Short mmCIF file of all heavy atoms in Angstrom, two decimals:
data_model
loop_
_atom_site.label_atom_id
_atom_site.label_comp_id
_atom_site.label_asym_id
_atom_site.label_seq_id
_atom_site.Cartn_x
_atom_site.Cartn_y
_atom_site.Cartn_z
N ASP Y 1 -7.05 -4.39 -9.75
CA ASP Y 1 -6.25 -3.79 -10.82
C ASP Y 1 -6.99 -2.60 -11.45
O ASP Y 1 -6.38 -1.58 -11.76
CB ASP Y 1 -5.94 -4.81 -11.91
CG ASP Y 1 -5.05 -5.95 -11.40
OD1 ASP Y 1 -4.31 -5.73 -10.42
OD2 ASP Y 1 -5.13 -7.05 -11.96
N ASP Y 2 -8.29 -2.74 -11.64
CA ASP Y 2 -9.08 -1.65 -12.21
C ASP Y 2 -9.08 -0.47 -11.26
O ASP Y 2 -8.97 0.68 -11.68
CB ASP Y 2 -10.52 -2.11 -12.48
CG ASP Y 2 -10.57 -3.19 -13.54
OD1 ASP Y 2 -10.06 -2.96 -14.65
OD2 ASP Y 2 -11.13 -4.26 -13.25
N HIS Y 3 -9.20 -0.74 -9.96
CA HIS Y 3 -9.19 0.33 -8.96
C HIS Y 3 -7.85 1.05 -8.99
O HIS Y 3 -7.80 2.28 -8.96
CB HIS Y 3 -9.47 -0.24 -7.58
CG HIS Y 3 -9.43 0.78 -6.49
ND1 HIS Y 3 -10.48 1.64 -6.28
CD2 HIS Y 3 -8.48 1.10 -5.58
CE1 HIS Y 3 -10.16 2.45 -5.28
NE2 HIS Y 3 -8.95 2.14 -4.84
N GLN Y 4 -6.75 0.30 -9.06
CA GLN Y 4 -5.44 0.91 -9.08
C GLN Y 4 -5.23 1.75 -10.34
O GLN Y 4 -4.67 2.84 -10.29
CB GLN Y 4 -4.35 -0.15 -8.96
CG GLN Y 4 -4.26 -0.72 -7.56
CD GLN Y 4 -3.28 -1.88 -7.47
OE1 GLN Y 4 -2.93 -2.50 -8.46
NE2 GLN Y 4 -2.85 -2.18 -6.25
N GLN Y 5 -5.71 1.25 -11.48
CA GLN Y 5 -5.58 2.02 -12.72
C GLN Y 5 -6.42 3.28 -12.65
O GLN Y 5 -6.02 4.33 -13.13
CB GLN Y 5 -5.98 1.18 -13.92
CG GLN Y 5 -4.94 0.17 -14.31
CD GLN Y 5 -5.29 -0.56 -15.58
OE1 GLN Y 5 -6.16 -0.15 -16.33
NE2 GLN Y 5 -4.60 -1.66 -15.82
N ARG Y 6 -7.57 3.18 -12.04
CA ARG Y 6 -8.48 4.31 -11.95
C ARG Y 6 -7.94 5.38 -10.99
O ARG Y 6 -8.14 6.57 -11.19
CB ARG Y 6 -9.84 3.81 -11.48
CG ARG Y 6 -10.93 4.80 -11.59
CD ARG Y 6 -12.25 4.09 -11.26
NE ARG Y 6 -13.30 5.02 -11.26
CZ ARG Y 6 -14.08 5.29 -12.29
NH1 ARG Y 6 -13.91 4.63 -13.41
NH2 ARG Y 6 -15.02 6.18 -12.22
N HIS Y 7 -7.28 4.94 -9.93
CA HIS Y 7 -6.81 5.86 -8.90
C HIS Y 7 -5.30 6.02 -8.88
O HIS Y 7 -4.78 6.69 -8.00
CB HIS Y 7 -7.30 5.39 -7.52
CG HIS Y 7 -8.78 5.44 -7.39
ND1 HIS Y 7 -9.45 6.61 -7.13
CD2 HIS Y 7 -9.73 4.49 -7.52
CE1 HIS Y 7 -10.76 6.36 -7.10
NE2 HIS Y 7 -10.94 5.09 -7.33
N GLY Y 8 -4.59 5.40 -9.77
CA GLY Y 8 -3.14 5.50 -9.80
C GLY Y 8 -2.51 4.51 -8.85
O GLY Y 8 -3.16 3.90 -8.02
N LYS Y 9 -1.22 4.35 -8.98
CA LYS Y 9 -0.49 3.36 -8.19
C LYS Y 9 -0.49 3.67 -6.70
O LYS Y 9 -0.33 2.80 -5.88
CB LYS Y 9 0.94 3.26 -8.69
CG LYS Y 9 1.02 2.66 -10.08
CD LYS Y 9 2.45 2.59 -10.55
CE LYS Y 9 2.48 2.04 -11.97
NZ LYS Y 9 3.84 1.97 -12.49
N HIS Y 10 -0.65 4.94 -6.34
CA HIS Y 10 -0.58 5.32 -4.93
C HIS Y 10 -1.93 5.74 -4.38
O HIS Y 10 -2.00 6.47 -3.40
CB HIS Y 10 0.44 6.46 -4.77
CG HIS Y 10 1.79 6.07 -5.27
ND1 HIS Y 10 2.60 5.18 -4.62
CD2 HIS Y 10 2.45 6.44 -6.40
CE1 HIS Y 10 3.71 5.01 -5.30
NE2 HIS Y 10 3.66 5.77 -6.39
N GLY Y 11 -3.01 5.32 -5.02
CA GLY Y 11 -4.34 5.62 -4.52
C GLY Y 11 -4.87 6.98 -4.90
O GLY Y 11 -5.97 7.35 -4.53
N LYS Y 12 -4.09 7.76 -5.67
CA LYS Y 12 -4.56 9.07 -6.09
C LYS Y 12 -5.39 8.92 -7.35
O LYS Y 12 -5.08 8.13 -8.23
CB LYS Y 12 -3.38 10.00 -6.38
CG LYS Y 12 -2.54 10.29 -5.15
CD LYS Y 12 -1.37 11.16 -5.52
CE LYS Y 12 -0.51 11.41 -4.30
NZ LYS Y 12 0.70 12.14 -4.65
N ARG Y 13 -6.45 9.68 -7.44
CA ARG Y 13 -7.31 9.63 -8.61
C ARG Y 13 -6.54 10.20 -9.80
O ARG Y 13 -5.95 11.26 -9.72
CB ARG Y 13 -8.57 10.45 -8.38
CG ARG Y 13 -9.58 10.26 -9.48
CD ARG Y 13 -10.96 10.62 -8.93
NE ARG Y 13 -11.97 10.38 -9.91
CZ ARG Y 13 -12.51 9.18 -10.14
NH1 ARG Y 13 -12.11 8.14 -9.47
NH2 ARG Y 13 -13.44 9.03 -11.04
N MET Y 14 -6.58 9.48 -10.91
CA MET Y 14 -5.85 9.90 -12.10
C MET Y 14 -6.67 10.87 -12.92
O MET Y 14 -7.89 10.84 -12.87
CB MET Y 14 -5.49 8.67 -12.94
CG MET Y 14 -4.57 7.70 -12.20
SD MET Y 14 -4.31 6.20 -13.10
CE MET Y 14 -3.24 6.78 -14.37
N ARG Y 15 -6.02 11.69 -13.69
CA ARG Y 15 -6.72 12.58 -14.60
C ARG Y 15 -7.20 11.78 -15.79
O ARG Y 15 -6.52 10.88 -16.26
CB ARG Y 15 -5.79 13.68 -15.08
CG ARG Y 15 -5.39 14.62 -13.99
CD ARG Y 15 -4.51 15.70 -14.56
NE ARG Y 15 -4.01 16.51 -13.46
CZ ARG Y 15 -2.96 17.28 -13.55
NH1 ARG Y 15 -2.30 17.37 -14.68
NH2 ARG Y 15 -2.57 17.97 -12.52
N HIS Y 16 -8.37 12.13 -16.26
CA HIS Y 16 -8.94 11.42 -17.40
C HIS Y 16 -9.16 12.39 -18.54
O HIS Y 16 -9.46 13.56 -18.34
CB HIS Y 16 -10.28 10.77 -17.03
CG HIS Y 16 -10.10 9.72 -15.98
ND1 HIS Y 16 -9.62 8.48 -16.27
CD2 HIS Y 16 -10.32 9.73 -14.64
CE1 HIS Y 16 -9.55 7.76 -15.16
NE2 HIS Y 16 -9.98 8.50 -14.16
N GLY Y 17 -9.03 11.88 -19.76
CA GLY Y 17 -9.30 12.65 -20.96
C GLY Y 17 -10.78 12.71 -21.21
O GLY Y 17 -11.59 12.58 -20.30
N LYS Y 18 -11.15 12.85 -22.48
CA LYS Y 18 -12.57 12.96 -22.83
C LYS Y 18 -13.32 11.69 -22.49
O LYS Y 18 -14.45 11.73 -22.05
CB LYS Y 18 -12.72 13.28 -24.32
CG LYS Y 18 -12.30 14.68 -24.65
CD LYS Y 18 -12.51 14.96 -26.11
CE LYS Y 18 -12.03 16.36 -26.44
NZ LYS Y 18 -12.15 16.65 -27.85
N GLY Y 19 -12.74 10.53 -22.72
CA GLY Y 19 -13.40 9.27 -22.43
C GLY Y 19 -13.02 8.78 -21.05
O GLY Y 19 -11.90 8.96 -20.61
N MET Y 20 -13.95 8.15 -20.35
CA MET Y 20 -13.67 7.64 -19.02
C MET Y 20 -12.57 6.59 -19.12
O MET Y 20 -12.61 5.71 -19.96
CB MET Y 20 -14.93 7.01 -18.43
CG MET Y 20 -14.78 6.66 -16.98
SD MET Y 20 -16.38 6.42 -16.26
CE MET Y 20 -16.26 4.71 -15.84
N GLY Y 21 -11.56 6.72 -18.29
CA GLY Y 21 -10.50 5.74 -18.27
C GLY Y 21 -9.32 6.11 -19.15
O GLY Y 21 -8.35 5.38 -19.23
N GLN Y 22 -9.39 7.22 -19.84
CA GLN Y 22 -8.28 7.63 -20.68
C GLN Y 22 -7.33 8.47 -19.84
O GLN Y 22 -7.59 9.62 -19.54
CB GLN Y 22 -8.76 8.44 -21.88
CG GLN Y 22 -9.61 7.64 -22.83
CD GLN Y 22 -10.13 8.50 -23.95
OE1 GLN Y 22 -9.97 9.72 -23.97
NE2 GLN Y 22 -10.78 7.87 -24.90
N ASP Y 23 -6.22 7.87 -19.46
CA ASP Y 23 -5.24 8.55 -18.63
C ASP Y 23 -4.47 9.55 -19.47
O ASP Y 23 -3.97 9.21 -20.54
CB ASP Y 23 -4.30 7.50 -18.03
CG ASP Y 23 -3.26 8.09 -17.12
OD1 ASP Y 23 -3.38 9.28 -16.78
OD2 ASP Y 23 -2.33 7.34 -16.74
N THR Y 24 -4.40 10.77 -19.01
CA THR Y 24 -3.66 11.80 -19.75
C THR Y 24 -2.24 11.93 -19.24
O THR Y 24 -1.45 12.65 -19.82
CB THR Y 24 -4.37 13.17 -19.66
OG1 THR Y 24 -4.48 13.52 -18.29
CG2 THR Y 24 -5.73 13.10 -20.33
N GLY Y 25 -1.93 11.24 -18.16
CA GLY Y 25 -0.57 11.29 -17.62
C GLY Y 25 0.20 10.07 -18.07
O GLY Y 25 -0.29 9.20 -18.78
N ASP Y 26 1.46 9.98 -17.68
CA ASP Y 26 2.31 8.85 -18.04
C ASP Y 26 2.74 8.18 -16.76
O ASP Y 26 3.48 8.76 -15.96
CB ASP Y 26 3.51 9.36 -18.85
CG ASP Y 26 4.37 8.22 -19.38
OD1 ASP Y 26 4.22 7.07 -18.90
OD2 ASP Y 26 5.21 8.49 -20.26
N ASP Y 27 2.30 6.92 -16.55
CA ASP Y 27 2.63 6.21 -15.31
C ASP Y 27 4.13 5.96 -15.15
O ASP Y 27 4.61 5.74 -14.06
CB ASP Y 27 1.92 4.85 -15.26
CG ASP Y 27 0.45 4.99 -14.94
OD1 ASP Y 27 0.04 6.08 -14.48
OD2 ASP Y 27 -0.29 4.02 -15.16
N ASN Y 28 4.88 5.99 -16.24
CA ASN Y 28 6.30 5.71 -16.16
C ASN Y 28 7.12 6.95 -15.83
O ASN Y 28 8.32 6.87 -15.64
CB ASN Y 28 6.79 5.10 -17.48
CG ASN Y 28 6.13 3.76 -17.74
OD1 ASN Y 28 5.92 2.99 -16.81
ND2 ASN Y 28 5.80 3.49 -18.99
N GLN Y 29 6.51 8.08 -15.82
CA GLN Y 29 7.22 9.32 -15.52
C GLN Y 29 7.20 9.58 -14.02
O GLN Y 29 6.16 9.40 -13.38
CB GLN Y 29 6.56 10.52 -16.23
CG GLN Y 29 6.63 10.43 -17.74
CD GLN Y 29 8.06 10.53 -18.24
OE1 GLN Y 29 8.84 11.28 -17.69
NE2 GLN Y 29 8.39 9.76 -19.27
N PRO Y 30 8.32 9.99 -13.45
CA PRO Y 30 8.30 10.31 -12.01
C PRO Y 30 7.46 11.54 -11.76
O PRO Y 30 7.30 12.39 -12.64
CB PRO Y 30 9.77 10.56 -11.69
CG PRO Y 30 10.40 10.92 -13.00
CD PRO Y 30 9.61 10.20 -14.07
N GLU Y 31 6.89 11.60 -10.55
CA GLU Y 31 6.10 12.77 -10.18
C GLU Y 31 7.01 13.97 -10.06
O GLU Y 31 8.19 13.86 -9.67
CB GLU Y 31 5.39 12.54 -8.86
CG GLU Y 31 4.28 11.51 -8.95
CD GLU Y 31 3.52 11.40 -7.65
OE1 GLU Y 31 3.52 12.34 -6.85
OE2 GLU Y 31 2.91 10.34 -7.46
#
C-alpha cells in the first residue's frame, strides 16, 4: 500500500510537495 501511494495507482511516481509523501495531485481526478 505504501508503494502504491508513493508511486500512484498505476506504478507512476507521484509528485510530492515540500514534505516527503505529500501528494500534490488528486487521486480521484481523471488523468
Side-chain angles (χ1 to χ4, degrees):
D1 295 334
D2 295 305
H3 178 78
Q4 287 174 340
Q5 284 186 15
R6 191 173 176 94
H7 295 280
K9 292 179 182 179
H10 303 288
K12 296 178 182 174
R13 188 157 184 82
M14 298 173 73
R15 293 182 186 160
H16 296 283
K18 289 182 182 177
M20 189 163 116
Q22 295 176 353
D23 181 11
T24 58
D26 186 346
D27 284 344
N28 297 322
Q29 296 294 323
E31 290 185 24

